[in-house]
Amino acid sequence: SQKIEQNSEALNIQEGKTATLTCNYTNYSPAYLQWYRQDPGRGPVFLLLIRENEKEKRKERLKVTFDTTLKQSLFHITASQPADSATYLCALDKGANDYKLSFGAGTTVTVRA
Amino acid sequence: SQTIHQWPATLVQPVGSPLSLECTVEGTSNPNLYWYRQAAGRGLQLLFYSVGIGQISSEVPQNLSASRPQDRQFILSSKKLLLSDSGFYLCAWSDGWETQYFGPGTRLLVL
């Protein structure tokens, strides 16, 4: 069956450190992978999209890698700040030209000042 | 720019009562529209999606239904709510099959 697994439910880090989140998937052949941020009681907000032929993508302090051989994406928040505290979700498309996304359960990041 | 609205923001309903949640999108035309449910501490479960007026696809069999009476309006309904229908309901839109943009959500508590 298809599965998306994100590492440990919660990640606590010190301000200024780098947070690294993992997204592993099985029985998917995604054309792209996305990361979203969700604050408590709010809808997810799109952060980054990386395509299957891209190894790495950056946006400000965020960096995403995508390894289709390992079936894994890593999401890094560098120089973390308390404002980065949120739940981060990874999402995969369900196949070529499919309008649907499958989401992981998310990893909650808490950045301590 | 595009905006997405959902209402109500919160709702407390007794078991067996009907439900109607509304979602509207502004600033785009012919969007793909989605309804998700998120249980506490859980991931997003896709309930319905629509690629056009009157076109609804159901992902999970349940006592919920969806309708798209207008291009930018998406409605989630139930004739009789169950306790298990409690959760956080999210509407989203996309203009293709990549990035989705979510509304603020409706928190539903069925008692």
Side-chain angles (χ1 to χ4, degrees), chain A residues 27-95:
Chain A
N27 293 323
Y28 281 93
S29 297
Y32 52 85
L33 186 146
Q34 302 181 47
W35 285 89
Y36 290 76
R37 168 184 172 140
Q38 186 174 24
D39 291 290
R42 309 288 291 272
V45 174
F46 169 74
L47 295 175
L48 281 166
L49 180 151
I50 186 166
R51 301 185 188 283
E52 60 178 337
N53 60 349
E54 297 175 314
K55 296 285 188 187
E56 180 180 299
K57 200 155 222 186
R58 293 174 185 261
K59 179 183 176 182
E60 298 173 352
R61 294 183 294 107
L62 306 179
K63 185 179 87 170
V64 173
T65 62
F66 192 13
D67 189 325
T68 55
T69 301
L70 292 178
K71 298 186 184 299
Q72 180 181 78
S73 174
L74 299 180
F75 178 81
H76 307 272
I77 307 172
T78 60
S80 60
Q81 304 168 0
D84 296 326
S85 299
T87 297
Y88 293 87
L89 310 171
C90 72
L92 307 176
D93 64 296
K94 289 198 170 187

Side-chain angles (χ1 to χ4, degrees), chain B residues 1-104:
Chain B
S1 64
Q2 301 87 4
T3 54
I4 179 169
H5 304 279
Q6 283 187 248
W7 64 90
T10 58
L11 193 58
V12 180
Q13 292 285 97
V15 169
S17 64
L19 174 74
S20 181
L21 303 181
E22 189 163 343
C23 170
T24 59
V25 181
E26 296 176 356
T28 187
S29 59
N30 196 31
N32 298 326
L33 296 172
Y34 310 83
W35 277 113
Y36 290 88
R37 177 169 57 204
Q38 187 174 36
R42 304 282 296 277
L44 298 172
Q45 179 187 34
L46 180 63
L47 302 175
F48 301 94
Y49 71 98
S50 171
V51 300
I53 295 174
Q55 300 179 62
I56 309 295
S57 296
S58 174
E59 286 292 297
V60 182
Q62 59 221 323
N63 70 320
L64 299 171
S65 62
S67 62
R68 185 170 177 173
Q70 300 180 44
D71 181 45
R72 289 168 290 175
Q73 184 185 30
F74 206 22
I75 297 172
L76 183 69
S77 305
S78 174
K79 292 181 179 178
K80 287 186 178 182
L81 285 168
L82 307 173
L83 286 174
S84 58
D85 291 325
S86 294
F88 190 43
Y89 287 82
L90 289 157
C91 180
W93 73 272
S94 70
D95 59 8
W97 47 76
E98 295 185 352
T99 302
Q100 293 182 14
Y101 302 93
F102 287 82

